[in-house]
Amino acid sequence: MENSKYLFLQITCFILLLSLSSSYAHNKSHESTPPPAGSQAKVDFKGCFNKVYAFGDSDTDTGNAHNLGDLKSFISTLFSHAWSPYCSSENSKLSGYRLSNGRLVIDFLCEALNISHLSAYKGSSANFSGGANFAVAGSTALSSNLFSHFNFTNPLMWKPNPKSILTQIDWFHNFVGERECQGKDEAACKSELGNALFWIGQIGGNDYARLFASSIGLAIANKQFTEHAVNHICTLALGLLDKGAKFLVVQGLPPIGCLPLQLATSPSNDRDQNGCSASANSVIKGHNNLLQKRLDEIRTQYKDSMILYIDFYKAFTTILEKHTQYQFDEPFKACCGVGGGPFNYQPNLLCGAFGTSNCKNSSTHINFDGVHLTENMHLHLFDLFFNQGFCTPSFADLIKKKKGQY
């Protein structure tokens, strides 16, 4: 009985803090197989954008978390070595630090645009000629104060108190004032930013991952939690649009219930038709549905801008359901990890820790380390996002608008 009262108080206090959180808003082993032939003609991106500004979490971060020391010591030590299972040096053209064995979707996008890979904003020798990357691995949509207060930690590679999306907003404003728009008036600054492509990668996945791993877990993964998470993502989108952004791509969340991270800890009777955690994916679907609704509302306010939604969830499950067609032999098992079994994943022994090992051929795995995806999965996702109709409106329409043809 006392435990029930304590849980009720925890939930009540958490919801109260959530209602206050809105006030914070203001301020062979490395080969990638080509995507299967699709029904839509590929879009020629080259020359369409000279600059890209990226935001998000570890699926987009090219070094900010590492440079800030936000990763656990064994991951940071691995990054300092000449070779590590992460961001393998086999790809000699890739600089920075990524939580994958190679390129991310944002890297493939930059290559398609024919601009250099984005440097992390906190990089010591960053080259911002093609834009800048403000994404931080482990970043949350909600205020970091909430996670530290309730000790919603997850035994992954992040330090306990995460950076929130508000940090990325602050970094962007500083970057614009000190570099991109220095010496320019407001109109000239907006014109400059209006020619760039803005990428909001997935944000919110870390909020749910920390929540699912907590003692309260799904008990408070309710509508109000989701509303606050989506509101903070929209705060970022609105801030960019107010600053002059005309071309904005917003990525939804993937099915977290399909990752070893969640599968290894959820009960075996909690499975959907794809073998993923049904309860976790139900929460993620609610998040994505609300995000799309809010983006529709924002489009009515900014009719001169093109705001795209990427259906990460549907793209991921499309590959999962047809994984052999995409030449994936392992739909769930992590390439790098320990423990074997269906997931090769243990939360306290992540890729790089003593006793873990790397698979011989990462291109046959969807998942790299139990939490993050392989380069080959990022390649297939890129193709589905931008060439196969998993972007609404289509990226082809965005290109037409940029060229004045829409």
Side-chain angles (χ1 to χ4, degrees):
M1 187 67 170
E2 290 299 321
N3 289 337
S4 299
K5 289 181 179 179
Y6 178 68
L7 178 61
F8 175 77
L9 287 173
Q10 273 194 310
I11 295 173
T12 302
C13 291
F14 183 80
I15 296 301
L16 177 61
L17 279 180
L18 273 178
S19 67
L20 297 174
S21 67
S22 58
S23 64
Y24 288 109
H26 66 293
N27 1 290
K28 306 255 174 189
S29 62
H30 196 66
E31 293 178 355
S32 298
T33 57
S39 59
Q40 297 188 18
K42 292 191 176 182
V43 182
D44 183 8
F45 300 166
K46 286 186 173 134
C48 296
F49 292 96
N50 294 321
K51 290 189 176 182
V52 176
Y53 300 106
F55 306 81
D57 62 12
S58 55
D59 273 0
T60 303
D61 186 2
T62 54
N64 284 315
H66 171 265
N67 295 326
L68 291 170
D70 281 358
L71 303 175
K72 283 186 176 177
S73 59
F74 74 88
I75 297 290
S76 296
T77 300
L78 281 170
F79 275 144
S80 68
H81 291 167
W83 181 88
S84 91
Y86 289 99
C87 194
S88 171
S89 58
E90 290 173 51
N91 191 332
S92 59
K93 295 181 180 179
L94 204 60
S95 62
Y97 306 92
R98 292 159 177 77
L99 287 171
S100 176
N101 62 307
R103 290 166 291 180
L104 311 175
V105 169
I106 192 67
D107 296 311
F108 290 113
L109 176 59
C110 288
E111 290 173 9
L113 293 171
N114 201 29
I115 63 176
S116 59
H117 294 139
L118 298 184
S119 292
Y121 173 68
K122 287 297 182 178
S124 58
S125 57
N127 174 12
F128 298 124
S129 60
N133 193 337
F134 304 96
V136 188
S139 183
T140 57
L142 297 173
S143 167
S144 59
N145 292 350
L146 293 171
F147 294 94
S148 59
H149 180 84
F150 283 93
N151 195 28
F152 284 169
T153 59
N154 199 326
L156 299 175
M157 66 287 299
W158 314 306
K159 290 191 174 177
N161 197 15
K163 294 285 188 300
S164 80
I165 200 171
L166 301 180
T167 296
Q168 298 183 41
I169 296 174
D170 288 341
W171 286 353
F172 174 71
H173 287 314
N174 291 338
F175 180 80
V176 168
E178 296 170 2
R179 183 180 178 91
E180 295 298 79
C181 290
Q182 188 176 38
K184 298 176 182 176
D185 61 24
E186 184 178 358
C189 181
K190 284 190 172 183
S191 178
E192 176 80 15
L193 297 177
N195 283 316
L197 178 65
F198 287 80
W199 169 271
I200 299 180
Q202 68 157 314
I203 285 284
N206 294 314
D207 300 72
Y208 294 109
R210 289 174 182 269
L211 184 63
F212 294 161
S214 72
S215 59
I216 301 176
L218 288 165
I220 59 168
N222 57 18
K223 182 178 179 181
Q224 191 170 14
F225 184 96
T226 296
E227 285 178 348
H228 282 282
V230 170
N231 284 344
H232 281 226
I233 297 168
C234 292
T235 294
L236 171 59
L238 290 166
L240 299 177
L241 291 164
D242 286 339
K243 209 72 176 171
K246 295 291 184 185
F247 305 97
L248 184 63
V249 180
V250 183
Q251 187 173 308
L253 291 181
I256 291 176
C258 298
L259 303 180
L261 161 70
Q262 190 64 27
L263 287 169
T265 56
S266 63
S268 58
N269 62 353
D270 176 30
R271 295 291 182 263
D272 61 18
Q273 70 276 13
N274 293 320
C276 306
S277 169
S279 57
N281 281 350
S282 176
V283 174
I284 300 305
K285 286 178 183 178
H287 173 101
N288 288 338
N289 289 337
L290 182 60
L291 177 58
Q292 291 178 77
K293 180 181 177 182
R294 294 290 166 81
L295 290 178
D296 282 340
E297 294 170 359
I298 292 174
R299 289 186 185 105
T300 63
Q301 301 174 48
Y302 295 85
K303 295 181 179 178
D304 291 336
S305 296
M306 181 72 86
I307 303 169
L308 276 57
Y309 172 77
I310 288 182
D311 196 340
F312 195 172
Y313 191 104
K314 187 176 179 181
F316 189 109
T317 55
T318 294
I319 296 172
L320 182 64
E321 291 166 0
K322 303 175 181 178
H323 61 270
T324 55
Q325 180 182 337
Y326 288 87
Q327 300 180 34
F328 287 117
D329 296 331
E330 297 290 353
F332 296 115
K333 184 181 288 185
C335 166
C336 183
V338 67
F343 310 125
N344 192 38
Y345 173 80
Q346 291 186 24
N348 294 316
L349 288 172
L350 292 178
C351 177
F354 181 77
T356 62
S357 60
N358 206 9
C359 66
K360 292 181 179 179
N361 188 357
S362 64
S363 69
T364 64
H365 288 66
I366 285 177
N367 198 280
F368 180 61
D369 62 2
V371 185
H372 306 99
L373 308 177
T374 60
E375 179 186 69
N376 200 29
M377 182 61 167
H378 281 285
L379 173 61
H380 288 303
L381 288 170
F382 165 78
D383 183 60
L384 264 62
F385 290 167
F386 296 106
N387 297 311
Q388 306 300 335
F390 289 80
C391 201
T392 308
S394 71
F395 200 72
D397 286 340
L398 183 145
I399 296 300
K400 288 178 183 178
K401 183 174 180 68
K402 181 67 166 59
K403 292 180 176 180
Q405 302 170 354
Y406 184 80

